[in-house]
Amino acid sequence: MSVPKFTTLGCRLNAYETEAMKELSQQAGLENAVVVNTCAVTAEAVRKARQEIRKLRRENPEAPIIVTGCAAQTEPETFAAMEEVTRVIGNTEKMQPETWQQIAKGPDFIGSTEKVQVDDIMSVTETAGHLIDGFGTRSRAYVQVQNGCDHRCTFCIIPYGRGNSRSVPAGVVIDQIKRLVDKGYNEVVLTGVDLTSWGADLPAQPRLGDLVMRILKLVPDLPRLRISSIDSIEADDNLMQAIATEPRLMPHLHLSLQHGDDLILKRMARRHLRDDAIAFCEEARRLRPEMTFGADIIAGFPTETDAHFENSLKLVTDCDLTWLHVFPYSKRDGTPAAKIPSQVNGNVTKERASRLRAAGDAQVARHLADQIGQTHRILMENPHMGRTEQFTEVAFAAPQPEGRIVTAAITGASGSQLTA
């Protein structure tokens, strides 16, 4: 018999939760199974999940296949109908020890014959307490501080896969980070589905900036703290203060912008306008001149005209974005945007996405050129590659100590990497 095989599709949070499931399944004694942790962010993501399941069945003809994750949560019947699939479990169930204990007892165990085990995610009021000490590389660890989302953007299915926003209390987060630092990690990344909503469900309703300041104060030995994707309209005063005054908070933010035209932003039910995004980037850069930004941008949202799209394209330079995640709009059944009659032609959407990516590539090239001749502190992810504080990859010809922060002069650039 062998340990279960895990396949992760989608976001960093899914990868974090896969590590938790590995631990839970091993504790339960589960053997010889295949677990697929799916993503539902686009219709294409669901299609890829089905394709991956069929491939895994060909590779593992005798092993039970267990499907979980956001696509399993939002479309359990889709996966239950696949003959390759043995069990479908929801996002809440996948983090519960008893789920894996039941699966490990096999098909003859009373109560384990139900193929679908997916409860109402909206009824969940707590974030799973299963914390992984040391998920990530040997240099960087990821800490989940929040799950779910209270907002209902018209294009997004994720709240129905993740539920409403739930926060991990600050004391629990800080204790975990202290353990990670004791294990030798030099960087911690705070992750969540809607990170800037952290604290709204906790007593006294603290904000993300409060958590950041507490971590930096109470874990003085932590060299680098990084924040994953945020909604810039929810950035609080303490977060801006941390950007301005805390050198251990890394000068890189990934922004959930989605579009650069006010009308499309309203139709997406976003809570910011174009000028809000530009003002945030300008203020963050005023406070921290070396700040770099990544951003999510959707191309081809229903009703998007050429003029609307040009506003998105121009936003790339107006906000001086560097690292773009470009998503061609994908119609998701169950979302309000899917019902909008003026869907954009697929070829037009692909062409617009391609233009956005080209604009992003030009921004990366400019950023890399600006770094040549500068000296950076670089966290080594492996002997020949590390990342600057701005999250830029740096390639080294000579091997460096993995997991260490090294200081090096930037001598050139190749592709999307700097060289040192």
Side-chain angles (χ1 to χ4, degrees), residues 241-289:
Q241 182 183 347
I243 289 170
T245 64
E246 292 286 355
R248 291 185 294 145
L249 178 63
M250 295 296 93
H252 167 262
L253 293 171
H254 191 84
L255 309 177
S256 178
L257 297 182
Q258 310 305 347
H259 211 275
D261 184 87
D262 286 350
L263 181 60
I264 298 297
L265 287 166
K266 288 180 179 178
R267 288 174 176 165
M268 288 178 164
R270 300 295 294 165
R271 287 161 300 124
H272 73 273
L273 297 175
R274 173 193 183 82
D275 286 348
D276 296 323
I278 296 170
F280 173 83
C281 291
E282 289 177 347
E283 176 65 6
R285 272 220 178 80
R286 185 187 69 79
L287 298 171
R288 192 84 174 268

Side-chain angles (χ1 to χ4, degrees), residues 17-75:
E17 290 172 345
T18 291
E19 296 302 309
M21 287 191 287
K22 285 180 182 178
E23 196 169 291
L24 291 169
S25 64
Q26 289 169 10
Q27 290 171 356
L30 179 64
E31 296 178 321
N32 194 34
V34 175
V35 183
V36 185
N37 199 6
T38 62
C39 172
V41 69
T42 63
E44 176 67 8
V46 178
R47 187 193 70 78
K48 285 183 177 179
R50 291 168 54 83
Q51 183 181 51
E52 182 69 15
I53 289 164
R54 288 190 286 268
K55 179 173 82 74
L56 288 167
R57 171 53 74 216
R58 292 192 297 272
E59 295 171 352
N60 304 273
E62 303 300 324
I65 293 182
I66 300 150
V67 180
T68 187
C70 288
Q73 181 69 45
T74 57
E75 301 183 30

Side-chain angles (χ1 to χ4, degrees), residues 31-151:
E31 296 178 321
N32 194 34
V34 175
V35 183
V36 185
N37 199 6
T38 62
C39 172
V41 69
T42 63
E44 176 67 8
V46 178
R47 187 193 70 78
K48 285 183 177 179
R50 291 168 54 83
Q51 183 181 51
E52 182 69 15
I53 289 164
R54 288 190 286 268
K55 179 173 82 74
L56 288 167
R57 171 53 74 216
R58 292 192 297 272
E59 295 171 352
N60 304 273
E62 303 300 324
I65 293 182
I66 300 150
V67 180
T68 187
C70 288
Q73 181 69 45
T74 57
E75 301 183 30
E77 66 287 343
T78 296
F79 296 96
M82 295 179 68
E83 62 181 19
E84 296 88 351
V85 174
T86 310
R87 294 283 291 271
V88 181
I89 61 176
N91 267 337
T92 301
E93 289 75 18
K94 75 181 184 184
M95 303 300 283
Q96 295 173 339
E98 55 268 26
T99 300
W100 298 99
Q101 292 162 8
Q102 187 188 82
I103 292 172
K105 291 177 179 176
D108 298 327
F109 178 65
I110 295 172
S112 67
T113 54
E114 189 68 42
K115 188 171 186 178
V116 177
Q117 192 177 348
V118 179
D119 286 342
D120 177 15
I121 195 74
M122 295 302 176
S123 66
V124 180
T125 58
E126 293 182 0
T127 298
H130 203 93
L131 298 172
I132 301 301
D133 284 354
F135 160 60
T137 65
R138 286 175 59 186
S139 54
R140 178 180 298 110
Y142 295 82
V143 175
Q144 180 188 355
V145 303
Q146 183 274 339
N147 203 341
C149 184
D150 290 338
H151 310 303

